[in-house]
Structure formats: structure tokens, C-alpha cells
Amino acid sequence: MATRYYSFVVALHLTLMNILFGMVVGAAAPASRGPIEANDKDLIQVALNLEFLETEFFLNGALGRGLDSIEPEMAAGGPPPTGASKANLDHTTYRIIEEFGYQEIGHLRAIVTTVGGFARPQIDLSCHNFANIFDQAVGYKLTPPFDPYSNTVNYLLASYVIPYVGLVGYVGTIPNLVNCTSRSLVAGLLGVESGQDAVIRTLLYERADQIVVPYKMTVAEFTDRISALRNRLGMRGNKDEGLRVPRRLGAENRTDSNILSANANSLSYSRTPPEILRIVYGTGSENKPGGFFPNGGNGAVAKRFLAAL
């Protein structure tokens, strides 16, 4: 499937956002030509949007209920997500996703108590939104529309869409943070987020050749398409790869397996805040909300981009 320009990097390990203290973040989309000054708090709060997204997706997928039923004060009065549903999961996957959901509550608490928080943004976890994402990924309208909650395989593919975006953000953050407390926080977040993504990719790799009924595409093919979509939306080259790659792109050019997505030296890719927002909005623009965040993200950085509309 691919040349280096077309390949896909959805890897599991790492980060959730380029967070920098007193550092200038270069804009990546045409609408963001001017630099943005953002301190540790502002940039870590970009990641807080994704932590809310993951919290609600995992809790609802496992339990059929979200943050408001467990730690309602963490939502800070923000609106509940729309379209979230309990997924039809096998027992092992259910236990894994349940644990992930509880872990995400801890991540919210860690960020809020360290740098401060904000109200939960409006989040769209509807089947309609996921169907649109998967239609974009494959390049045509799937029939029937993709339903992330219908079975274990679909839910794992939907999970593949979300955590890695945050991970690659965290990767680019740590070297640029000045405050030791901020570095410690992001390192701790990165460790668990990387583990979550690795588990998701491993579960999918076990099913790599399985046909995703009724679409006549394999699990591995879907991951390739999703990764390619994120590369297009991010607009900064290849930072996403599916579960299988040409051997020349595998670890030390010796394998076509890609359970952990990484570069030529097996180091994680990184993304900037504009790239992250372009992907989770599904619009290819940090200035145009949509996708998982129909009203855009919260926090100083996301709001500044929205104000540039």
C-alpha cells in the first residue's frame, strides 16, 4: 500500500499533544500562519479535551454510562456527550475498556489538580459521527453505516481512531516543557496512554486478517485507511501507520508487522496542537470545529484558533 508519503502511522505508544512552556507553537494549517504563544497550562489543556473524549468513550462503551455517573464534578458543568452507547463487547475486551475508562478519570483529575481545568466540551460519540469518519477513511459511503457499538471488532476499530492522536501529541511535548511539575505530569500521562494504545493495537493485530462484516475489508485494511485519513487531516506528512507496513518501513526493515507504530529508529512520531485539532475536528483545520467536537475544544489554545475563523 504505500510509499513513505502514503503510509500510515497510527501507532500506539505515545502522546497527546505538543505542549510547551513559554514556547511558540508554529501553526500548521494555512489559516494558522502566525505563531501562538502558549505556556504549559494552555497546552496541557489542549490534551484535556482529548482526555474528556477518551473518558466518555471508554466508560460509555463498557458501562453504558459516563463521567456524570461516577465523578460528575470533573465535568465542571459541561454538557454530556451525545450519542454515546454501551458496546456489545466480549468479556475480555469489556474488562479492558472498563479499566481504561477509570484510568481516564484519573488523568482528568491529574491535569485539573496540576494546571487547572475547564468545563467538559460538547463531544459527539454518535454512530453518525463514527460512520462519517469511516466513510472518509475508506473513500466511499459504507453500507450499512459503520456502528462502533455493535460488536467487539467495530468497537476496537473505533478505539483505534482516538487514543493514538493524543499520544503523538504528548511525545512532542516533554522535551519542550520547562516546568518540572509539567514534565512529570505529561510523562505519567504518556506512559499509561501509550500502554492503552498498545493494547488496542495488539487486540486488533490478533484479528488483522479478519473480515469486518459486512464490508469485505480486513481489520488491517481498515487501520491503514484510518491512519491515512489522519495523515491527510494532520497535513504534516506521514505520522500514522496501520498494523502492517512494507518491510522497508518495519522495525529495522526486518518485519511487516507494525504493532507499535514508530519511525525509522523506532521512536514515536509527534504532532503539534494544530495537527491534533485538525484531526479530532475531522475538518483538516484547527479553525473549523466538527467531528468529535462540534463546537470546538475548550482551553486558551483551542479557543484562540476558533476566534481566528
Side-chain angles (χ1 to χ4, degrees):
M1 288 164 250
T3 67
R4 285 185 184 273
Y5 305 100
Y6 176 71
S7 81
F8 350 69
V9 28
V10 166
L12 49 350
H13 319 163
L14 297 98
T15 103
L16 200 256
M17 164 147 291
N18 256 43
I19 303 166
L20 337 159
F21 179 99
M23 153 179 176
V24 175
V25 180
S32 304
R33 296 192 181 280
I36 292 182
E37 292 187 3
N39 59 26
D40 286 21
K41 174 182 176 179
D42 292 343
L43 287 165
I44 290 173
Q45 286 188 341
V46 180
L48 183 57
N49 287 290
L50 277 72
E51 296 289 357
F52 273 121
L53 172 61
E54 294 177 29
T55 301
E56 296 294 358
F57 183 61
F58 290 143
L59 287 178
N60 279 281
L63 305 175
R65 52 193 175 90
L67 186 62
D68 290 337
S69 70
I70 301 173
E71 294 283 349
E73 69 281 359
M74 297 301 299
T82 59
S85 178
K86 190 176 190 301
N88 182 24
L89 304 176
D90 63 57
H91 181 70
T92 298
T93 306
Y94 160 76
R95 294 305 303 269
I96 290 169
I97 299 302
E98 179 189 28
E99 180 178 338
F100 286 0
Y102 296 143
Q103 289 172 346
E104 294 302 329
I105 295 175
H107 291 181
L108 294 176
R109 184 183 303 109
I111 292 174
V112 170
T113 57
T114 303
V115 301
F118 48 64
R120 175 180 53 199
Q122 182 65 67
I123 296 170
D124 186 353
L125 291 171
S126 66
C127 291
H128 177 73
N129 183 42
F130 276 101
N132 285 339
I133 293 169
F134 276 75
D135 288 351
Q136 275 188 280
V138 301
Y140 57 88
K141 193 172 184 61
L142 291 171
T143 304
F146 185 86
D147 180 353
Y149 304 110
S150 63
N151 56 62
T152 294
V153 170
N154 282 23
Y155 189 83
L156 288 172
L157 283 170
S159 298
Y160 182 91
V161 171
I162 299 173
Y164 179 73
V165 180
L167 303 180
V168 289
Y170 281 139
V171 167
T173 296
I174 294 176
N176 298 297
L177 290 172
V178 173
N179 184 280
C180 290
T181 301
S182 297
R183 286 175 178 266
S184 178
L185 170 64
V186 175
L189 292 167
L190 174 58
V192 174
E193 292 285 337
S194 299
Q196 290 178 353
D197 194 53
V199 169
I200 291 167
R201 289 179 70 96
T202 300
L203 291 173
L204 287 169
Y205 190 80
E206 290 177 337
R207 301 164 168 85
D209 295 319
Q210 181 176 327
I211 296 294
V212 181
V213 179
Y215 304 118
K216 299 181 180 180
M217 289 178 61
T218 66
V219 167
E221 288 170 333
F222 266 107
T223 65
D224 287 346
R225 301 294 185 90
I226 294 165
S227 291
L229 172 63
R230 289 197 295 229
N231 283 329
R232 294 196 300 272
L233 293 173
M235 300 171 61
R236 279 296 177 267
N238 173 46
K239 298 183 178 182
D240 229 303
E241 296 164 350
L243 295 175
R244 287 188 177 140
V245 293
R247 186 171 289 255
R248 68 180 182 278
L249 298 178
E252 296 303 298
N253 310 125
R254 293 174 183 270
T255 178
D256 60 5
S257 66
N258 198 42
I259 300 170
L260 304 183
S261 179
N263 68 14
N265 291 318
S266 292
L267 302 178
S268 176
Y269 297 95
S270 66
R271 289 195 183 276
T272 65
E275 291 175 69
I276 297 297
L277 295 172
R278 290 172 202 153
I279 293 169
V280 296
Y281 289 172
T283 62
S285 171
E286 62 271 36
N287 307 115
K288 184 178 179 182
F292 292 115
F293 297 95
N295 299 326
N298 284 341
V301 172
K303 292 296 187 185
R304 203 173 306 159
F305 282 127
L306 295 175
L309 271 175

